[in-house]
Amino acid sequence: MMTDKEHPIVSDYLSRLQAEATLRLPADRAGELLDDIRDHLRQRIAEGATEADVRNAVDKLGTPTELVDEAGGSRPGPYAGPPPPAPDNRREMVALALLVLSVVTSIVFPVAGLLLIAGLVLTLVSARWNGADKALAAVVYTILGMPLLVLGGLMAVTTSAATVCSEEGVGAGTVARQVCSSTGTSAPPWLLIPIALVFLAIHVYTAVRLYRHAGVPAHT
């Protein structure tokens, strides 16, 4: 029987088995397999055995890969190559930033206008946004791109009412009095609240959609 001092062939075989088992088996199962094979070789190889005897005993066990396969070791999947590069959507991100800034700075019309034009140009040449995305961006940021002006116009419409005044005399020798009456319609001011919420929801939806679609593969 082989002594505690392992033969170099046995040591090399056990090292390769340990590496294979550690990679493909749970830690406890790998250690158990290694101990079993070491004990088996100690029983099979007599003390003073020749190199040919040692190699023959090792060869009968099979390769470390075969032993790990028999122990239920998982095989690594095929190499799928390097991970795909991150999408180069910098153009879309810049376009979206310009469009949003055009809304934020709408009170400063010249600045907002330049931002809007630059953002729309980058949007139209985008290879990642489809036609629906581009049309939505153009409509929302062009027609609804100046929120203060839009809301101000709505406020003027909802509160518009004409006042007509006339003088009436009560009788002879009396002082005429002025009578005023309002014509037209005036919508309640609270009506602007749901309009503003709808306006905000449209802008948020558009920005989120453009942001998400900026990560899809480029259209060829």
Side-chain angles (χ1 to χ4, degrees):
M1 182 180 295
M2 186 175 64
T3 62
D4 291 338
K5 185 178 180 180
E6 295 174 345
H7 192 280
I9 295 178
V10 174
S11 298
D12 177 70
Y13 182 86
L14 292 177
S15 296
R16 290 187 289 120
L17 177 61
Q18 182 179 18
E20 187 82 15
T22 302
L23 181 64
R24 297 172 51 199
L25 290 173
D28 55 345
R29 185 69 186 95
E32 181 182 350
L33 176 63
L34 191 65
D35 291 339
D36 291 343
I37 298 303
R38 180 181 285 111
D39 292 340
H40 175 80
L41 290 176
R42 284 177 177 173
Q43 295 174 5
R44 292 295 181 181
I45 300 175
E47 185 177 355
T50 64
E51 183 173 339
D53 294 334
V54 175
R55 189 173 298 279
N56 183 54
V58 169
D59 290 343
K60 287 183 177 179
L61 290 174
T63 65
T65 300
E66 293 172 344
L67 289 180
V68 175
D69 286 342
E70 295 176 0
S74 59
R75 284 189 172 275
Y79 179 63
D88 185 11
N89 56 2
R90 288 173 293 182
R91 175 187 297 173
E92 286 72 21
M93 291 295 97
V94 172
L96 180 57
L98 292 173
L99 293 175
V100 173
L101 284 175
S102 72
V103 177
V104 176
T105 61
S106 60
I107 192 173
V108 187
F109 183 75
V111 175
L114 293 176
L115 293 174
L116 176 61
I117 293 173
L120 288 177
V121 170
L122 292 178
T123 299
L124 293 177
V125 299
S126 170
R128 296 180 180 275
W129 286 329
N130 56 31
D133 294 331
K134 296 177 181 180
L136 178 65
V139 170
V140 170
Y141 289 101
T142 301
I143 298 178
L144 302 180
M146 303 297 170
L148 296 181
L149 298 180
V150 174
L151 292 178
L154 291 174
M155 182 179 295
V157 172
T158 56
T159 58
S160 62
T163 301
V164 178
C165 297
S166 60
E167 293 185 355
E168 295 180 354
V170 177
T174 61
V175 179
R177 64 179 182 178
Q178 189 177 50
V179 178
C180 297
S181 62
S182 298
T183 62
T185 58
S186 177
W190 58 262
L191 186 61
L192 288 177
I193 297 178
I195 295 176
L197 292 177
V198 171
F199 177 88
L200 178 62
I202 292 175
H203 273 270
V204 171
Y205 167 79
T206 303
V208 171
R209 170 172 172 158
L210 293 178
Y211 177 80
R212 289 180 176 177
H213 289 187
V216 302
H219 299 283
T220 55

